[in-house]
Amino acid sequence: MIYLYPYIFKVKTNGKSAKTLKQGMAPVIYNGNIYYIKYNFDMKDDNKNVKIVGLYRMSLSGKNDKCILKSDDIVDLDIYKSKIYYIIYSDNGCYLYNISTSGGKSKCMFGNSKAYIESIKIYSDYVYFNYGENIYKAKINSTKKTKVISNATLKDVSEGYIYYTTQGNDSQSLYKMRIKNKAKTFIKKQKFEFGDVTVEGGYIIMTLNYELSYENQTCANAKYFCNTNGKKGKILKRYYQS
């Protein structure tokens, strides 16, 4: 399957001139560089062995590749005020760390052998993340966390709002909550799980995971576009498998 071989690409905004940069995932552009989790694999390997190498930095053209931190346990990252916030998930537990964008010594913020941390998003001096089944936040220079939303999955934080999903009996729902007063707004509901959700410039681009028979093919997922209130939605692209 495609996701077994993760690559980082760059492409023009019109969808043309795509170029492969590196083997890796979770690219974040910061101060003219791309920070990412580097992978190592061989497409000819029938066993599909994919190894995480560590946290790396490269230029926007894919050159000047530099190791920030060697680790085969990094699963997610975000960057804020010259610090990289990343998750380490191993047999010893799950922990949230930070490190300077230039490298150096890492600092553990919190975590333990029973923790499960995921979905890092940083906004206005706070790092937001899922801790178990709930959404928490912590000041970027603190080791104290505060619960923000119960029984929810964090998707994004933008312009004073937290975007998250909740699980129903046979569906998922996407909401946004205003950080200032905790006012909630329903955005969209669907039978299958929501994939990535990115909020930018007053719009939401999300991956919808579902199955739909179309021209003798199964639609596995699609890119969907709408405004931040869930209005004027449209499918940008469908992805099919035979």
Side-chain angles (χ1 to χ4, degrees), residues 31 85 133 216:
N31 279 352
Y85 295 79
E133 297 180 351
N216 299 320

Coordinates of all heavy atoms in Angstrom, one line a residue, residues 31 85 133 216:
N31 N 11.1 29.2 8.8 CA 12.3 30.1 8.5 C 13.1 29.6 7.3 O 14.3 29.5 7.3 CB 13.2 30.2 9.8 CG 12.7 31.1 10.8 OD1 11.8 31.9 10.6 ND2 13.4 31.2 12.0
Y85 N 8.7 20.8 18.8 CA 8.0 20.0 19.8 C 7.7 18.7 19.1 O 7.1 18.6 18.0 CB 6.8 20.7 20.2 CG 7.1 22.0 21.0 CD1 7.4 23.1 20.3 CD2 7.1 22.0 22.4 CE1 7.7 24.3 21.0 CE2 7.4 23.1 23.1 CZ 7.7 24.3 22.4 OH 8.0 25.5 23.1
E133 N -7.9 9.9 25.6 CA -9.1 10.2 24.9 C -9.5 11.7 24.9 O -10.6 12.1 24.4 CB -10.3 9.3 25.4 CG -10.0 7.8 25.2 CD -11.2 7.0 25.7 OE1 -12.0 7.6 26.3 OE2 -11.2 5.8 25.4
N216 N -17.6 1.6 -11.3 CA -17.0 0.3 -11.0 C -15.8 0.3 -10.2 O -14.9 -0.6 -10.2 CB -16.7 -0.4 -12.4 CG -18.0 -0.7 -13.2 OD1 -19.0 -1.0 -12.6 ND2 -17.9 -0.4 -14.5

